[in-house]
Amino acid sequence: MNAHPEAPDELDQIILRMNVLERRLSALEQVLHIGEAPAAQEAAEEPVAAAAYPATVAATGGQFTGALSVFGAALLGIAGAYVLRAVSGASLLPRGLVAAAAAVYAAGWLYAAMRAKTRRLAATLYAATSILILAPMLWEMSIRFAAMPAAVAAGTLALYAALATVAGFSAGRMATFGVAYTGIALSAVALAIGTHQMAPFGAILLCMIGVCELTRVREHAAAVRGLVALSGDFVVWTLLFIYRLPADARSEYPALGAWVVIAAAFLLLLLQTSSIVLRTLRRVQQITVFQILQAMIAFGLLICAFAWLMPAAGVVAIGVLCLVLAGVCYAAAYGPFRQQEQRRNFRIFAVWACALFPGAVFTLAPVPAASALLAAGGLAAVVLGDRTRLPSVELQGVLYLSIAAVASGMVMYAFHALAGGMPGMPQWQSLVMTVFALAAYAVADELPDESADKQALHLVPATLATVGLAAFAVSALARLLSLLFSPGIFHIALLRTITLCSVSFLLAWGGARLRRLQMVRVAYGALAFAAAKLVFEDLRHGRMEFIAASIFLVALTFLGVPRLTRRRGPGTASIQSS
């Protein structure tokens, strides 16, 4: 019954072998699938790439096509303007009606530019098309054909400017606003010159300056602001230049009162100063270089307006204006601007105040009284600056003293007394100036370890006082000699040498004793001047005995002054080290 007992074992072996083959087959299938995956992926990506390439080309082509469409639309607009020009030239319709149609047509293109605010190219080209339609039409109708009064042209341009201003209050429409305002400003300047009607177009420019400087438009249109401001400056200057002429020399221009022209210059200054106040005080920003120049230009135009159109009352008006502006600048500089970290506003307003105050003084008072008043103001500023530790105030006081010294004639008087022809009696303002300079140096605290800037502030009044006193001494001694005999040039030369050497000795001795470094420096300056005078005056014009006396005195001074400054005493070491 059991003829083949080994059959079950063979069956098991066959089953085992089949399992091994199945596993090997599965492994081969996996390997084949892994190898085919990249090929399948590449085959799947090829249609995607093929689809992406036409999409990129389509996008680029779409942008190019859009730009061409915008250019084409703009050219159509220009073509329409030429059609209106042809109708007007052929007199097919009344020119007034054609002008109205052209104005509406230009406004339509400006409205299209405002609607295209998300497309910058379209907004720019449509706004340019609009102004290129309006500006030539106004020029031809008002100048070439004389079919439109200048007032109507100015009114049309003003309405167009109002529409363009609406675009300026939207940040997305700045391209439209910039192109339109540029065209309006240039058109206003051209029409003002071409029609000889300066006032209405100047008023348009002043209103545009107000929009650009006093509204939020100023934050987005810096370039347009500059062009509009310069256009306003040009028209106001032209207005002043023309109306300063006699009436018969400007017969083709309409009659305007002097107050109208002055009002234009005053409004220009008011707009610029209001813009500066808005920027520096309210928004706490630095004043820009362009605003500085614009304020100075506007101020200069107003000064010219008063001086040219109101010669009598204008002087007082200029003086009052300078005095008021100086007070405002001083209050702003040493008020809020002094506390700001950024120092430009403080410096600019302090410089303006320092320039305006002397201008006000010399405009409102005669020169002798003005020089004395300015010297008194300089003394007060030096004392105030020294007591409050404000070097800028002390610097302004020194500048006022220097200006007063020149204006009073003290500098020229001292030059003639010490080196030129002997002058007569000094004028009272020169004496007052010398006293104020001496007081300014005496009341200031001079310390041994001062900075170079502080030392210079003390050196100027010390030099002015010394020069004035030396000149008065020479003049007084020369008059005393003239009571005894008629002095010759060699007598005057020796007298000057004696005075200069004596001054040098006194200053050296006083500077060492009082620990006043600037007195010592002025002493050496007087010694150097005496040596130069010895060469250029005594040796040329003196007699032998007088020349010998002058040389002897200068030599003694060269020997004695350094010894005096080296004398032991309080503060001597600090003077020598300085």
Side-chain angles (χ1 to χ4, degrees):
M1 292 183 60
N2 194 4
H4 303 280
E6 67 280 0
D9 294 335
E10 293 178 357
L11 183 58
D12 292 337
Q13 291 177 359
I14 294 172
I15 293 172
L16 182 60
R17 289 176 180 175
M18 291 181 64
N19 291 335
V20 171
L21 290 173
E22 287 179 357
R23 286 196 297 271
R24 290 180 177 177
L25 185 59
S26 298
L28 289 173
E29 289 178 351
Q30 290 179 2
V31 172
L32 290 175
H33 282 300
I34 292 173
E36 291 174 356
Q41 185 176 0
E42 291 176 2
E45 289 178 353
E46 286 181 359
V48 176
Y53 177 73
T56 304
V57 174
T60 306
Q63 295 176 359
F64 184 69
T65 305
L68 289 180
S69 299
V70 170
F71 277 107
L75 287 176
L76 284 177
I78 300 296
Y82 273 94
V83 170
L84 292 175
R85 170 64 181 81
V87 171
S88 176
S91 300
L92 299 177
L93 293 174
R95 288 199 171 100
L97 181 62
V98 176
V104 173
Y105 187 52
W109 277 99
L110 184 61
Y111 179 73
M114 295 169 62
R115 291 292 300 271
K117 61 180 182 179
T118 58
R119 297 176 295 163
R120 186 176 181 85
L121 179 61
T124 302
L125 289 179
Y126 292 166
T129 301
S130 175
I131 195 64
L132 288 176
I133 293 170
L134 181 70
M137 182 274 294
L138 292 178
W139 178 268
E140 288 197 336
M141 290 295 176
S142 58
I143 296 176
R144 181 177 180 182
F145 297 137
M148 179 184 292
V152 176
T156 304
L157 192 63
L159 292 175
Y160 184 85
L163 182 61
T165 303
V166 174
F169 287 92
S170 175
R173 294 171 177 167
M174 291 314 299
T176 302
F177 173 80
V179 174
Y181 255 47
T182 300
I184 295 168
L186 297 177
S187 301
V189 172
L191 291 171
I193 296 174
T195 61
H196 294 172
Q197 299 284 339
M198 312 295 296
F201 297 102
I204 294 173
L205 287 171
L206 289 175
C207 292
M208 293 170 64
I209 292 174
V211 170
C212 292
E213 297 293 341
L214 303 179
T215 64
R216 58 189 176 92
V217 171
R218 67 186 305 280
E219 301 296 335
H220 308 285
V224 177
R225 287 172 50 219
L227 177 63
V228 172
L230 292 176
S231 300
D233 296 341
F234 177 77
V235 170
V236 172
W237 166 253
T238 307
L239 194 67
L240 292 174
F241 183 78
I242 291 173
Y243 283 90
R244 71 185 290 260
L245 300 174
D248 54 351
R250 48 179 172 86
S251 57
E252 63 229 22
Y253 290 88
L256 284 179
W259 283 105
V260 176
V261 183
I262 293 175
F266 179 78
L267 285 175
L268 181 62
L269 178 62
L270 181 63
L271 290 172
Q272 296 298 339
T273 53
S274 300
S275 174
I276 292 174
V277 170
L278 180 66
R279 180 182 182 90
T280 57
L281 291 179
R282 184 175 177 181
R283 299 180 181 176
V284 196
Q285 297 175 347
Q286 283 197 57
I287 186 172
T288 63
V289 176
F290 185 77
Q291 284 183 315
I292 296 171
L293 295 177
Q294 275 300 115
M296 295 172 66
I297 291 172
F299 178 76
L301 290 176
L302 184 57
I303 295 299
C304 291
F306 280 123
W308 291 346
L309 303 178
M310 298 177 60
V315 176
V316 178
I318 292 171
V320 173
L321 177 65
C322 291
L323 192 61
V324 171
L325 291 179
V328 172
C329 290
Y330 269 125
Y334 292 96
F337 294 155
R338 186 186 167 195
Q339 309 299 329
Q340 293 180 0
E341 295 182 1
Q342 300 173 345
R343 305 297 290 174
R344 177 189 290 180
N345 293 343
F346 170 77
R347 294 190 183 100
I348 293 300
F349 275 76
V351 169
W352 280 347
C354 186
L356 289 168
F357 180 69
V361 172
F362 282 100
T363 304
L364 294 175
V367 173
S371 60
L373 289 174
L374 190 61
L379 173 61
V382 168
V383 175
L384 180 62
D386 187 72
R387 297 296 180 266
T388 58
R389 298 295 185 266
L390 289 175
S392 60
V393 177
E394 193 171 357
L395 173 61
Q396 294 180 42
V398 171
L399 289 176
Y400 292 161
L401 287 172
S402 303
I403 295 172
V406 175
S408 64
M410 189 268 283
V411 174
M412 291 303 299
Y413 182 86
F415 175 78
H416 287 293
L418 297 175
M422 185 59 62
M425 290 292 294
Q427 296 181 342
W428 67 267
Q429 63 266 24
S430 298
L431 296 171
V432 170
M433 172 61 225
T434 304
V435 172
F436 280 133
L438 181 61
Y441 177 69
V443 300
D445 294 331
E446 186 176 357
L447 303 176
D449 56 347
E450 288 178 337
S451 63
D453 297 338
K454 191 73 171 176
Q455 293 178 18
L457 294 180
H458 293 152
L459 180 62
V460 173
T463 303
L464 292 176
T466 302
V467 168
L469 291 174
F472 299 149
V474 170
S475 178
L477 292 174
R479 287 188 172 275
L480 289 177
L481 284 180
S482 64
L483 296 177
L484 301 176
F485 58 91
S486 179
I489 189 171
F490 45 89
H491 295 105
I492 299 298
L494 179 60
L495 181 63
R496 288 170 174 170
T497 302
I498 295 173
T499 304
L500 290 173
C501 291
S502 302
V503 167
S504 182
F505 271 115
L506 290 174
L507 289 175
W509 177 79
R513 295 283 297 179
L514 301 175
R515 292 185 296 178
R516 290 273 186 169
L517 175 61
Q518 307 314 318
M519 291 178 65
V520 175
R521 288 178 172 172
V522 176
Y524 281 110
L527 178 57
F529 188 82
K533 192 192 75 65
L534 178 64
V535 174
F536 292 102
E537 184 182 38
D538 297 71
L539 294 179
R540 291 179 59 190
H541 305 293
R543 286 166 38 176
M544 289 301 172
E545 60 272 23
F546 288 92
I547 294 175
S550 296
I551 295 175
F552 179 73
L553 289 174
V554 172
L556 285 180
T557 309
F558 269 103
L559 294 173
V561 167
R563 292 178 180 274
L564 288 176
T565 59
R566 288 197 300 266
R567 287 183 60 185
R568 294 182 180 181
T572 304
S574 62
I575 291 179
Q576 282 300 111
S577 63
S578 299

